Each structure stands twice: as C-alpha cells, then as structure tokens.
C-alpha cells in the first residue's frame, strides 16, 4: 500500500517519502524518481515513555528516539533522524495535521540529524535570510505578514540551520503561515482552520516559497515590555538567547559531548550573524520600518 500511495517531497533540503498528499493542500510539487532520506508513514502507535492523555501536548525526546502527543491531532514516534510514524486523531483535518507534522514534529527529527533547530520564523530577502524568534503570541507572524511583499517565506515556527557549500543557510519548510482570519495581506491564497490553535488563527498557504539556498545574515529576538525599542545584542547575549530557544532532550538529560556540540554550533552561528532584540509595548505593534532598515543594512 505504501508503494502505491507514496510521494517524495523536498522540504528542509531533505527528501521525504510519505503517504500524506502534501501538494493537495500546500501546492508543493513531488520530486520525481529520487531516493528518499526520510520516511513519514501511518502506523498504530504504542508509546514506551508517555502516558496519554495527560496533557494537551506532551513529548519525550532523545538523540535517537522521540514520542510526541498533541491533543486532537495525533500520536507520533520519531526514530534515528530518518523515520516518523504517526497515528492521526479522528477529529483532525488533513491540512492541520500536515502542518503540525511538518513543523513541530519535524523539529525533533532535525534535532536527531544533528541540525541546530530553534523556535523561530524566517524570511529571505534577495538570497539573505533572517529569523524572528520569540514566545508564542509575541508577534512573529505579524512581522512576516508585513514583510512578505518584499521577502520570500522560508519557515514558520521551526528554524533549522544547515551548512551548504561552506555557507550557513536556513532550510525551507512547508509553505504556510498562521494568522488571524482577516489579517493576511497577500492575495490568492488558500486557507484552513487550524482547529486546535488557542488564538483561533487560520493556516494560510503561501505561493512565494523558494527552495534555493540562502545565506544566513542575522536574527531578531522579540519581546513584550514597558517600552518600544530595538537594540543590537552583544555576542554573549545572542548566544544565550539562541541557546534558550534551541531544541534539546526532554526531559533535559543531554550528556557533556552533546552539550559541547550544541555550544559549538551556536558559537559558529553567533560568529556569522548579527542579532537584535526588539521590544514592543503590550498594545503596540513592532516597528516594521525599523526592522526593514536593519535588514537593508545587513544585506
């Protein structure tokens, strides 16, 4: 059955063989006659570590094995950076399930493949890439929505760094962004209800997604506070912010060798890029013109 229904897609600069029909909802083409690197298939799942249902979201993650539970979405097992097994909830719609699988679940697989993965969105400006990191609801999607007319979308929620031809690049993900139903600015896009999103946003499918390699230039850490400002971070501050947003074991039990490897990856990233902290007041929006100015200076 898998052979009859399998499809291969290029996401995160990797080839995925899956029984999920991604192009039906996300307008990404299949890859013809290619040898897959990762398999994503349906399977009845029995967890070894997690007990469900205990939380709306729960995870056990190690360097070669992970279990993920998302209420009303499904159960997932990730093995050896090469396999994802899933068991869908009966109530989840296909695009919502695919968006979760190829963003949140994929992050644990990329972590197993020794990639540096952080919680962030990313855009490409004339081959130069920048990430926007911060807690859920801080305004990452607002910034992306206001910059997409001059930028290409790279990734939502999960930012994966890869070394390509001696250049650090941000790997492109499934092309979607989550926004309030009436706020998306680009025209002619398909959208779906996220179902499980607490802020009741929609999934908007993007058609300005590019798969070519980009050159990483910098990142922005977003905060909410008592005043509006943008400031450049020293290397040590940038390192701490990246480390705090990185994917690790859960429960936290990384060994010394793995911790050294993570420190090495973040240190290399900090040496290459320029990093900024942006803060907005609770009821204000981020200053898009200030962000554009910084991006232009760094590009």
């Amino acid at each position: 059955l898998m052979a009859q229904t399998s499809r291969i897609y290029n996401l995160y600069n990797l080839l995925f063989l899956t029984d999920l029909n991604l192009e039906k909802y996300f307008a990404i083409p299949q890859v013809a006659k290619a040898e897959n690197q990762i398999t994503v298939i349906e399977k009845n799942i029995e967890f070894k570590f997690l007990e469900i249902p205990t939380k709306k979201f729960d995870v056990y993650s190690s360097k070669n094995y992970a279990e993920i539970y998302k209420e009303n979405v499904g159960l997932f097992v990730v093995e050896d950076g090469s396999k994802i097994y899933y068991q869908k909830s009966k109530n989840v719609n296909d695009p919502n399930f695919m968006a979760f699988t190829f963003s949140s679940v994929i992050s644990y697989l990329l972590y197993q493949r020794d990639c540096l993965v952080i919680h962030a969105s990313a855009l490409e400006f004339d081959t130069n890439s920048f990430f926007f990191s911060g807690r859920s609801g801080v305004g990452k999607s607002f910034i992306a929505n206001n910059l997409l007319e001059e930028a290409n979308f790279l990734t939502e929620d999960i930012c994966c760094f890869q070394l390509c031809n001696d250049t650090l690049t941000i790997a492109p993900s499934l092309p979607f962004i989550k926004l309030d139903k009436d706020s998306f600015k680009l025209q002619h896009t398909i959208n779906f209800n996220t179902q499980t999103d607490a802020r009741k946003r929609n999934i908007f499918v993007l058609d300005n997604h590019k798969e070519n390699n980009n050159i990483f230039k910098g990142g922005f850490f977003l905060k909410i506070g008592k005043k509006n400002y943008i400031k450049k971070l020293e290397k040590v501050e940038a390192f701490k912010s990246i480390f705090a947003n990185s994917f690790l074991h859960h429960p936290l039990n990384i060994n010394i060798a793995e911790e050294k490897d993570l420190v090495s990856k973040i240190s290399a990233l900090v040496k290459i890029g320029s990093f900024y902290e942006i803060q907005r007041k609770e009821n204000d929006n981020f200053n898009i013109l200030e962000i554009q100015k910084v991006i232009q200076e760094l590009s």
Side-chain angles (χ1 to χ4, degrees):
L1 181 63
M2 180 63 181
Q4 295 174 352
T5 61
S6 62
R7 303 167 178 87
I8 298 179
Y9 301 101
N10 186 340
L11 292 166
Y12 300 97
N13 294 323
L14 297 166
L15 296 179
F16 290 81
L17 176 73
T18 180
D19 51 10
L20 294 169
N21 188 352
L22 296 180
E23 76 266 29
K24 180 177 180 181
Y25 301 101
F26 294 95
I28 62 170
Q30 293 185 47
V31 177
K33 298 180 180 178
E35 186 173 342
N36 66 292
Q37 297 165 295
I38 297 159
T39 303
V40 182
I41 58 172
E42 189 170 19
K43 181 182 179 181
N44 289 329
I45 289 175
E46 292 185 9
F47 283 156
K48 300 176 184 178
F49 297 97
L50 297 183
E51 295 183 8
I52 57 162
T54 56
K55 304 175 182 178
K56 291 185 177 181
F57 175 77
D58 203 2
V59 60
Y60 169 86
S61 171
S62 70
K63 201 65 176 130
N64 57 14
Y65 179 82
E67 297 176 351
I68 300 126
Y69 167 74
K70 176 68 171 175
E71 186 181 51
N72 295 324
V73 175
L75 288 69
F76 303 85
V77 167
V78 185
E79 293 182 348
D80 301 320
S82 62
K83 298 182 182 67
I84 295 177
Y85 300 110
Y86 68 84
Q87 183 176 324
K88 288 174 62 177
S89 167
K90 294 179 180 179
N91 300 321
V92 67
N93 65 31
D94 283 345
N96 192 46
F97 179 81
M98 293 174 189
F100 182 81
T101 303
F102 282 88
S103 57
S104 296
V105 176
I106 288 294
S107 63
Y108 297 94
L109 179 135
L110 295 169
Y111 162 69
Q112 290 178 4
R113 295 180 70 88
D114 289 325
C115 295
L116 174 59
V117 185
I118 69 171
H119 178 55
S121 301
L123 299 173
E124 176 207 352
F125 300 79
D126 192 24
T127 75
N128 297 313
S129 58
F130 298 84
F131 71 73
F132 302 88
S133 181
R135 65 173 176 80
S136 180
V138 72
K140 298 187 297 295
S141 296
F142 169 83
I143 290 175
N145 189 33
N146 282 274
L147 292 175
L148 278 172
E149 290 183 348
E150 61 187 84
N152 289 305
F153 170 86
L154 286 174
T155 184
E156 166 90 343
D157 287 336
I158 302 303
C159 186
C160 173
F161 299 93
Q162 297 172 342
L163 194 62
C164 297
N165 300 322
D166 297 323
T167 300
L168 201 63
T169 188
I170 295 177
S173 72
L174 200 63
F176 74 91
I177 187 171
K178 289 179 286 186
L179 283 166
D180 294 335
K181 186 175 181 181
D182 300 320
S183 63
F184 192 57
K185 291 188 173 183
L186 295 187
Q187 301 297 315
H188 309 299
T189 52
I190 307 167
N191 70 90
F192 307 97
N193 191 305
T194 55
Q195 291 183 304
T196 58
D197 184 68
R199 287 179 281 155
K200 301 186 184 302
R201 296 171 297 173
N202 274 28
I203 294 170
F204 288 86
V205 179
L206 302 168
D207 56 8
N208 71 340
H209 179 252
K210 293 175 69 177
E211 292 184 355
N212 60 299
N213 289 335
N214 54 80
I215 301 170
F216 172 70
K217 289 290 185 177
F220 298 83
F221 296 96
L222 316 182
K223 291 186 174 183
I224 300 174
K226 295 182 179 180
K227 60 181 181 178
N228 298 334
Y229 67 78
I230 180 169
K231 68 174 183 179
K232 187 171 183 179
L233 293 177
E234 299 293 334
K235 298 295 185 183
V236 173
E237 293 174 303
F239 181 97
K240 291 178 181 178
S241 295
I242 296 167
F243 189 91
N245 286 280
S246 300
F247 279 81
L248 301 167
H249 275 189
H250 187 81
L252 186 61
N253 59 348
I254 61 175
N255 58 39
I256 293 175
E258 185 183 342
E259 191 172 54
K260 286 182 177 179
D261 181 59
L262 179 62
V263 167
S264 176
K265 286 185 172 71
I266 297 176
S267 297
L269 185 70
V270 169
K271 286 180 182 178
I272 292 172
S274 297
F275 302 90
Y276 292 79
E277 182 177 282
I278 316 176
Q279 183 171 286
R280 67 174 175 87
K281 294 180 182 177
E282 185 74 40
N283 296 319
D284 285 354
N285 289 321
F286 288 111
N287 189 324
I288 298 299
L289 292 177
E290 287 289 336
I291 297 170
Q292 289 173 317
K293 182 180 178 181
V294 172
I295 289 171
Q296 289 169 1
E297 290 173 352
L298 297 177
S299 297

